[in-house]
Amino acid sequence: MLAILTPLMRVIEIPMTFLEKRLGMKNPAWLFLLPNLLLFGIFALLPVALNLAYAVTGSDAILLADRPYVGGDNFSALLQCDSYLDPNSCKDDLFWRAVHNTLLFVVLQVGLMVTFSLCTALILNRDIRARGFFRAVFFFPVLLSPVVVALIWKWILQREGILNAWIDGMGWQTFNWLLDRNWAFGWSVFLSIWAHMGFYTLILLAGLQAIPRDVYEAAKMDRATPWRAFRRITLPLLMPTMLVVLVLATIKGVQTFEEVYAFTGGGPGTATTMIIQYIYETGFAGAPRLFGPASAASLLLAAVLVVLTVVQLWLNRNNVDG
Amino acid sequence: MANVISFLTRTRGIGKLHWTDWLTYGYLFLGVLLMFLPVIWLGLSSFKTEAELERFPPRIIPMQQETIIVEGYDEPLPLYEIVSGEFEGETLAQIRRVGLVAQMIRPDNPDERLKVDINDRQAIEKFALATENYSELFDRFNFFKFFWNSVFITSVATMIMLTVNSMAAFALSKYQFTGRMVVLGLVIGTLMIPQTVVLVPLFLITKELNMADSLWGVIIPGAATPTGVFLLRQYMLTIPDEILDAARMDKASEWKIFWRIIVPLSAPAIAVLAILAIMWRWNDFLWPLIVLSSNDNFTLQLALNSFQGEMNTQWSNLLAMTMLVLLPIACVFVFLQKYIATGIASTGGK
C-alpha cells in the first residue's frame, strides 16, 4: 500500500522541503494542512455558503450574477400547503409526496432494521460455533453497491422471477410486485434493510461485547432468569449504543436515494420518490434545471440532518465519558 | 465426514442442544439463506442463455439445448428426442417450426424431411454455461472503458485522499499552533454536512472549475473527507512525541519526519482508511450520476444503472455485468473482512 504512495510522496517532498527551508518555519503545521484545507474550503465550506445564495435566488441561470434575488419565494413555494398531511393540496406536491415517502420509509426502515440488527447481534453474541463466518454473512451485503443490490432484488422480484415461480409452484396467484405502489414501497424498505443491517449489527455486537461478563455471573449467582438478566442488564447497558445506532440509521435513512432509485426509479408513479431524488430531479435531471427549489429543499434537509448529527455527537460524547 | 458431523453437533455443554440453541441455529441458518441465496441466484442466472432466462418457472442450473451441425445448414440445429408418435425413440434435428408441426431431419440423413407434431418431441438439454453473456460485454458494450473509468477514479481518488488526509492529520495531532481548534471545529462541522445536501452548489463549483463531465470532477471534490482526517488523527495521537524529537535532533526535516516516521507507524490506520476509500469510490453512485453526463465517462455503477433503463438491454448481459461489478468487492471482502469490519465500526461510516 505504502509502496504505491512512494512516487507521489517524492513529488510532494520537493516543494514541501523547499517551502520549509525558505520560510524557515519552526512549525510547518499550516504547510501540511494547506492541501486539505484548500479542498475543504472549495468543496465543503464554499458550497454551504453558496447553497444559501442559490436558495434565495430564482431562474434557471447557473451563474449567481445572472440570478435575480427572490427572497424566501423558493421556501414559501415549497412550504405552501393547505394541509401538510395531504401532498395533493400542496403547491409543490412532488416535494411533499417525497417528504411523506421519506418519513414513512425512515420510520419503517429504522424501526425494523434496528430490531433485526439487535436480534442478530444478540444471537451472534451467544456462545456459537463459527461466529466469524456468521458475522461475515450478515455483514457482506453492506459492501455491495446500491445498483448491484437493486438489480439482485429486481431480478428476483420481476414478473417471471424466482419468487413468482415459487408462488406459482405453491398454487397461488403470481403478482407483479414492482408495479404495485404499496408492494414497491415495502420491497424498497426490505431491500434497504437487507443491504444495511450488517453494519448496525456490527456496532451493536461491539456494544454487547463491551458489557463485562462478571455482571452476568453475579446475576447468575443471584439466580436471575436469563430473561431478567436481559431486561435488567443487557438492555440498560446497551442503551447508549442503541441510541447511537438509532440516530445513525435515521441520518442515513433520511438520505436514502441510491438503492431505491436504481430499484424502482421512484415509481410506480411517485410511490417511492425520496427527498434526495426530488432534489436530484429538480436540480439536475429535469429541464429547466431549477437550482433554487433544489437548494431550498436541501437546506430544509440539512436543517434536519444538523439536528440529528448534533444529537449523535452529543450521544457519542456521553459514551466516551461514561 | 465423521469429523464434520461431530463438529456440527458439538454443543456448549455436555449432552443435548438446549431449545435456545436450536432457535439460534435456525435463525442463523435462515440468515445465511436470505443473505447468500439472492447473490448465488444472480450468479447462476448470469450463466444462462436469454431463452433460458425467459423460461417460467426457472430452473436452478443453467441448461442449454444440444445442437448439431448438419451439412447444408449454416446454423447449428437444435436436437430433440421424439417421445411418441411415428418416430418414437429417434433423435432428430429441427429445421424450423410451422405452427404445431416441426420440420425435422435425421442428422445422418439430412435430405429427408420429416414432419413431427411438436408435442411429440422433447428438447435434449445439457448443463452448459452461457459464457457469451460475459464475452459480449467486452465486444458490444465497451465494458473495458467503464471498468477503466472506475479503476482510475477509485485508485487516484484513494491516493489523493490518503496523502492529503494524512498530512492534515499529522498537523492536527503533532503540532501546537494557534488556530488548531478552529481547524478541528471546521472538520467536525463538515462532518455534519453530508454531500447530499450541498449537491447543487458543489456541482456548480465543479462546473466552474471545468471539471463537469470529467473523471477529475468525481475525484477531487470527494478527496477531503473529514472522516479520514479524524480516523488518522486519533491514531497518530497515540504515537509518542519523543520519536519526533529524536529525529529533530538528527536534523531531519519535518517532511522526513512525516514521511519516514509518522506514515509507516500509522500504516494500520492508513490501510483501514484505504480499504474504506476504495469501497466508497467503487460503489459511489449519486455524485458520478450528477457530474458525468457523457457515456464515455461513465463508471461501472452508472453504466449498470443506465443499461437497466434501456429497453433493448437483455437480462443476460445485465446479470453478467452485475456479477462483474460485484466480484472485485467480493474478493476484497474475502481477504480483508476483518479490517473492513473494524474500519467501519471505528469510523461509523461506510
Side-chain angles (χ1 to χ4, degrees):
Chain A
M1 190 62 233
L2 293 176
I4 312 170
L5 284 176
T6 311
L8 198 64
M9 289 294 177
R10 288 264 154 73
V11 176
I12 307 174
E13 183 167 8
I14 301 161
M16 283 295 283
T17 22
F18 175 75
L19 281 174
E20 213 183 298
K21 291 242 169 67
R22 194 65 196 264
L23 301 173
M25 271 202 269
K26 266 267 159 296
N27 208 346
W30 289 106
L31 266 184
F32 282 98
L33 273 175
L34 190 71
N36 204 60
L37 282 186
L38 219 70
L39 287 175
F40 256 25
I42 300 173
F43 296 110
L45 300 177
L46 186 59
V48 177
L50 276 181
N51 216 356
L52 282 168
Y54 277 96
V56 294
T57 51
S59 90
D60 56 352
I62 286 187
L63 286 176
L64 261 186
D66 304 338
R67 296 170 64 86
Y69 178 77
V70 294
D73 281 6
N74 286 324
F75 289 97
S76 56
L78 280 183
L79 296 174
Q80 201 183 75
C81 242
D82 289 341
S83 153
Y84 288 122
L85 295 176
D86 178 19
N88 292 330
S89 70
C90 300
K91 190 165 176 234
D92 194 340
D93 58 333
L94 184 62
F95 175 71
W96 282 100
R97 178 68 63 196
V99 170
H100 277 228
N101 285 341
T102 311
L103 281 181
L104 184 62
F105 187 91
V106 166
V107 169
L108 284 176
Q109 192 242 17
V110 172
L112 289 171
M113 185 167 67
V114 172
T115 312
F116 280 118
S117 300
L118 181 63
C119 285
T120 316
L122 283 171
I123 278 180
L124 287 175
N125 195 38
R126 284 173 61 105
D127 203 2
I128 54 166
R129 302 254 146 234
R131 181 191 291 151
F133 166 75
F134 286 117
R135 202 181 56 188
V137 164
F138 283 97
F139 182 70
F140 104 100
V142 172
L143 303 180
L144 300 180
S145 85
V147 189
V148 167
V149 170
L151 275 169
I152 288 176
W153 285 98
K154 231 177 153 174
W155 174 236
I156 289 173
L157 295 171
Q158 59 132 342
R159 181 140 189 74
E160 298 187 332
I162 186 115
L163 183 69
N164 268 339
W166 180 74
I167 286 175
D168 191 51
M170 301 296 276
W172 298 324
Q173 189 61 40
T174 61
F175 194 74
N176 213 342
W177 302 101
L178 297 183
L179 290 188
D180 180 272
R181 295 181 70 92
N182 294 331
W183 277 111
F185 193 87
W187 281 113
S188 303
V189 174
F190 169 82
L191 163 140
S192 163
I193 295 176
W194 185 82
H196 301 300
M197 200 184 102
F199 171 61
Y200 301 99
T201 304
L202 210 70
I203 300 183
L204 285 172
L205 188 60
L208 280 173
Q209 282 170 347
I211 300 176
R213 292 263 153 185
D214 37 345
V215 187
Y216 288 105
E217 266 152 34
K220 221 173 180 179
M221 293 284 208
D222 294 341
R223 297 181 186 257
T225 58
W227 169 244
R228 207 179 150 77
F230 172 74
R231 256 194 39 199
R232 299 284 172 177
I233 301 172
T234 313
L235 270 189
L237 286 179
L238 194 63
M239 225 36 202
T241 321
M242 277 289 278
L243 282 175
V244 170
V245 163
L246 273 172
V247 176
L248 211 57
T250 312
I251 291 177
K252 302 256 158 151
V254 174
Q255 299 176 68
T256 300
F257 165 70
E258 309 192 333
E259 65 258 28
V260 176
Y261 179 70
F263 185 53
T264 62
T270 52
T272 53
T273 304
M274 303 289 155
I275 294 180
I276 300 285
Q277 191 182 342
Y278 169 84
I279 295 172
Y280 167 68
E281 289 191 337
T282 320
F284 301 101
R289 295 175 154 198
L290 300 171
F291 294 125
S295 288
S298 33
L299 276 177
L300 293 178
L301 177 64
V304 175
L305 285 174
V306 165
V307 172
L308 283 170
T309 317
V310 168
V311 172
Q312 185 211 354
L313 288 174
W314 180 76
L315 283 174
N316 265 338
R317 185 152 87 191
N318 270 15
N319 244 358
V320 174
D321 292 346
Chain B
M1 198 63 207
N3 278 337
V4 175
I5 289 170
S6 72
F7 171 76
L8 289 175
T9 51
R10 249 184 283 172
T11 56
R12 24 182 213 150
I14 325 140
K16 280 186 191 159
L17 284 168
H18 191 245
W19 65 270
T20 51
D21 290 323
W22 283 107
L23 213 64
T24 299
Y25 284 106
Y27 184 94
L28 289 174
F29 179 70
L30 272 179
V32 172
L33 285 188
L34 192 64
M35 294 293 161
F36 267 162
L37 276 190
V39 180
I40 293 172
W41 179 237
L42 172 81
L44 282 173
S45 302
S46 74
F47 282 107
K48 290 178 174 177
T49 58
E50 192 63 32
E52 181 72 12
L53 288 175
E54 276 166 17
R55 191 186 170 94
F56 187 83
R59 285 183 294 204
I60 306 290
I61 304 291
M63 305 273 256
Q64 272 175 40
Q65 189 163 14
E66 286 212 56
T67 53
I68 191 165
I69 296 167
V70 182
E71 235 178 285
Y73 296 94
D74 299 334
E75 297 278 308
L77 299 175
L79 274 177
Y80 287 88
E81 188 166 354
I82 309 302
V83 289
S84 61
E86 198 182 335
F87 307 102
E88 192 175 333
E90 286 190 73
T91 305
L92 302 179
Q94 174 175 298
I95 306 167
R96 68 174 73 85
R97 185 185 144 182
V98 186
L100 292 173
V101 179
Q103 282 190 9
M104 306 187 97
I105 51 169
R106 294 195 178 91
D108 46 0
N109 178 17
D111 298 329
E112 183 191 358
R113 296 200 173 185
L114 313 168
K115 284 197 172 142
V116 183
D117 189 296
I118 58 160
N119 292 322
D120 290 344
R121 62 191 185 137
Q122 197 172 35
I124 300 176
E125 284 168 320
K126 59 166 193 236
F127 168 75
L129 299 177
T131 44
E132 68 266 20
N133 293 349
Y134 288 85
S135 55
E136 274 170 16
L137 288 179
F138 296 93
D139 307 337
R140 288 184 16 215
F141 290 99
N142 214 358
F143 183 81
F144 267 124
K145 183 83 195 155
F146 304 135
F147 185 77
W148 167 248
N149 288 343
S150 271
V151 168
F152 182 77
I153 289 178
T154 305
S155 48
V156 174
T158 303
M159 277 199 291
I160 294 181
M161 179 182 151
L162 288 181
T163 315
V164 170
N165 281 3
S166 57
M167 282 166 70
F170 172 56
L172 287 175
S173 61
K174 289 296 164 209
Y175 291 109
Q176 298 292 332
F177 59 95
T178 35
R180 187 168 143 227
M181 288 323 276
V182 179
V183 177
L184 261 178
L186 279 181
V187 176
I188 297 182
T190 27
L191 264 182
M192 278 194 237
I193 314 153
Q195 208 186 36
T196 42
V197 298
V198 290
L199 288 175
V200 175
L202 196 56
F203 172 73
L204 299 164
I205 291 170
T206 313
K207 199 176 161 72
E208 282 308 301
L209 294 173
N210 255 332
M211 293 194 294
D213 198 20
S214 101
L215 299 185
W216 292 103
V218 181
I219 293 171
I220 304 290
T225 53
T227 328
V229 177
F230 248 160
L231 180 76
L232 293 177
R233 174 177 179 265
Q234 293 313 95
Y235 195 90
M236 286 176 187
L237 281 175
T238 63
I239 298 172
D241 287 343
E242 286 79 10
I243 305 179
L244 276 71
D245 293 335
R248 285 197 186 110
M249 297 276 208
D250 293 342
K251 295 233 164 16
S253 71
E254 296 297 313
W255 176 258
K256 274 255 155 52
I257 292 176
F258 166 69
W259 171 230
R260 293 286 168 203
I261 300 174
I262 297 291
V263 170
L265 282 179
S266 11
I270 293 180
V272 165
L273 185 63
I275 297 167
L276 287 181
I278 290 172
M279 230 177 64
W280 288 333
R281 294 290 153 233
W282 186 265
N283 288 343
D284 204 6
F285 179 68
L286 177 58
W287 183 240
L289 180 71
I290 288 173
V291 175
L292 304 175
S293 50
S294 64
N295 235 350
D296 272 353
N297 287 332
F298 273 13
T299 61
L300 277 179
Q301 312 290 345
L302 289 186
L304 197 57
N305 188 55
S306 76
F307 269 12
Q308 67 147 334
E310 282 166 27
M311 288 312 267
N312 55 3
T313 306
Q314 295 189 309
W315 269 109
S316 54
N317 297 120
L318 194 59
L319 294 175
M321 189 160 174
T322 313
M323 274 313 275
L324 287 183
V325 176
L326 182 155
L327 273 180
I329 288 290
C331 293
V332 169
F333 177 66
V334 169
F335 292 113
L336 301 172
Q337 197 247 112
K338 225 174 181 170
Y339 296 98
I340 300 175
T342 37
I344 288 183
S346 59
T347 55
K350 57 183 167 97

